[in-house]
Amino acid sequence: MSDRIAVGEVAAFEDDPRRIVEVRGVELGVFYVDGEFHAVLNTCPHQNGPVAEGKLGRTVVADPPEEGERVEERYDPDRTVLRCPCHSWTFDVATGKNVAASGPEYDLVTYETAVEDGTVYIVL
């Protein structure tokens, strides 16, 4: 059985699509993007920077290259990314995937979210 922890009202995210919350002693970033909520651990896998404080938006992104290939960057209007403020590592906010490196060690830890009766929850 999973636990649900309330992290805010849906209406509050309409003015500011980002909230940094503490859940059971851990800081999470909760984002409202394109009508959906996403949550990530506020720790960049690079050097533990506060990734959820970074720039959020549609920007130049890169797809993870195959081994030995160069990163090909492009603008993607359908993909919202989160850029760590420390060293600019960039992640797809919906999936937590690093947009320039392959492998789970380069991705953000993500959390399931749910909405019920106007309240946003983290599902643990």
Side-chain angles (χ1 to χ4, degrees):
M1 184 170 166
S2 59
D3 284 337
R4 295 179 351 148
I5 311 294
V7 294
E9 298 299 314
V10 171
F13 284 88
E14 291 172 3
D15 292 332
D16 182 1
R18 172 197 333 250
R19 292 277 183 276
I20 297 175
V21 299
E22 187 173 313
V23 174
R24 294 188 178 161
V26 176
E27 248 186 29
L28 307 179
V30 182
F31 302 93
Y32 182 59
V33 176
D34 297 329
E36 295 183 4
F37 288 92
H38 308 285
V40 301
L41 182 65
N42 189 20
T43 303
C44 182
H46 177 227
Q47 291 185 343
N48 301 320
V51 68
E53 296 175 17
K55 185 177 179 183
L56 179 70
R58 302 192 200 291
T59 187
V60 173
V61 297
D63 288 319
E66 296 296 322
E67 188 171 334
E69 291 183 358
R70 290 177 45 100
V71 171
E72 295 295 327
E73 293 186 338
R74 61 186 164 69
Y75 180 78
D76 187 344
D78 298 322
R79 187 180 198 179
T80 301
V81 296
L82 177 62
R83 187 177 305 270
C84 184
C86 295
H87 300 103
S88 295
W89 277 38
T90 306
F91 307 89
D92 184 312
V93 75
T95 64
K97 298 286 184 195
N98 187 311
V99 299
S102 293
E105 67 273 22
Y106 301 109
D107 298 339
L108 294 177
V109 175
T110 60
Y111 295 83
E112 183 181 346
T113 61
V115 176
E116 186 176 315
D117 297 327
T119 301
V120 182
Y121 296 90
I122 300 294
V123 181
L124 301 175

